[in-house]
Amino acid sequence: MGDADAGSWVYSDGGQQRFNATILTQFGYVVYPNDTISNYSDCVLAFGGYAPTIINNGSWYNSTGCDTPVRPIRTRGILGIVSAIAFAVLLVLSLVCLNKHGKSYLPAEKRFRLVGRRWSWYWCIITTTVGLISGFTAVDVDRVWVLGTAAIFHFIFYLVTLPACLAAIWEMTRNWASFEERKGVDEDFFRYRQDDQRSKIEFYEPLIFYLFNFLTFFLSVLRNWNPIAKSNIEVITDARFRAASIFSLLAWGTIVVTIILARHYYQPRKFPWKIPVCLLLIAIRIGFNIGSSFDYSINQLRYQASPAYFYCLGYLPVIMVLLVIIHYGGKEPNEDKELLQLRNSRNALLDQQMSGAQPAAVSRRKADAKPKPNRRRVVDRTYDYWG
């Protein structure tokens, strides 16, 4: 706090600016060492060219809020713009893939709904949207004098990218297993029952995953963010953030178990490598979450931490996961078209077998037939004169 002049003045900015101590005390204002004046409801800057004036009713004029960008853009903001542009491009590509894979070319089936194959792209769109917002709000995090609204929005949307990206991977995995079942049912309608152990497991799998994923979101996002924006060590490494990181690991493990069970029940001929690649990439982000919730020096919500940790271990794995999903989305055909192609292949093979079996049967019957004796017709040329 600044020095007082005859008990009536309070100074800031190294004595360059002075304020009436009586009025400040009357309305609960305090001059802080970082050259700001605040009463926990209002906060104004009090240094350099930001010289506010307080009047007798406790209001300010010519004041600048503490969360107003007054500094030049820094490394965090530049990396935020780059990541926001990357998320914007991925958002457009996700919409293109949704348009491709969301179309239907076959009659609707109650057992395999069209929305099932769209959910992975819905989550990709959500992930890119929140990443886009978080990247752009990062611009003002380093520019403000006191962390406030910009930092809160930046960190909130950053944390949402993890459960949203996990949900995109889960829906991609679930849709792969569902399509393997659909191909088997299309070939033999009675191959998979609807009341066996397999169907019961598939009923509870999404409930378990979304429970863990929702707890990750609930514990890390839905909370008071004012102390978090100030990088309070007791808050950003508390039990809620630690539990949220553990629940994200359990959601990741649920996806792994789903893959194992799907390969056991459906025994696919080919396994899409996009699933393990995405799981390995998102495991980097989950590991960073767990480590930062226990280690304050690398904590992702610590303002003083190096942006290299934040962007290389936080944003980059999510961007790489979306790139893998979108790459395979552009490479793979629409499910209905692939199913029609499998039907045509089966019909062509059946026609070939039937057309090749008929001449063989005829030749086989001719070979198995007994040779007939060479009987010559004998004509009785004797004329019966008496008859």
Side-chain angles (χ1 to χ4, degrees), residues 156-169:
I156 284 179
F157 287 107
Y158 161 76
L159 291 177
V160 175
T161 56
L162 177 58
C165 189
L166 276 173
I169 299 174

Side-chain angles (χ1 to χ4, degrees), residues 162-304:
L162 177 58
C165 189
L166 276 173
I169 299 174
W170 159 258
E171 289 296 339
M172 177 183 64
T173 305
R174 182 207 55 78
N175 183 59
W176 160 73
S178 177
F179 187 54
E180 292 296 328
E181 179 187 4
R182 187 183 181 190
K183 288 190 290 186
V185 170
D186 190 70
E187 187 175 352
D188 181 7
F189 185 78
F190 300 100
R191 177 173 297 180
Y192 302 114
R193 296 172 53 187
Q194 294 298 297
D195 56 352
D196 56 352
Q197 185 180 11
R198 176 197 59 83
S199 60
K200 294 179 181 178
I201 292 175
E202 291 184 348
F203 175 79
Y204 288 105
E205 282 175 347
L207 299 180
I208 296 173
F209 169 80
Y210 278 109
L211 173 63
F212 292 148
N213 210 33
F214 173 75
L215 289 174
T216 301
F217 170 80
F218 176 78
L219 293 174
S220 61
V221 176
L222 302 182
R223 54 184 303 167
N224 182 17
W225 273 86
N226 289 324
I228 299 175
K230 299 176 182 178
S231 300
N232 190 323
I233 183 174
E234 296 180 356
V235 178
I236 64 178
T237 58
D238 64 0
R240 289 192 61 170
F241 278 115
R242 294 178 180 180
S245 62
I246 298 300
F247 279 122
S248 65
L249 180 61
L250 293 176
W252 182 89
T254 305
I255 301 176
V256 175
V257 173
T258 300
I259 296 171
I260 296 174
L261 293 175
R263 297 195 67 178
H264 170 72
Y265 284 114
Y266 301 120
Q267 298 180 355
R269 299 175 184 176
K270 296 187 300 182
F271 181 69
W273 287 103
K274 62 181 180 179
I275 297 177
V277 170
C278 290
L279 287 174
L280 290 175
L281 290 172
I282 202 62
I284 299 174
R285 168 68 182 273
I286 295 175
F288 177 55
N289 274 24
I290 296 175
S292 65
S293 64
F294 288 89
D295 189 353
Y296 179 74
S297 62
I298 63 170
N299 193 283
Q300 55 193 349
L301 303 180
R302 180 171 171 260
Y303 170 72
Q304 297 84 358

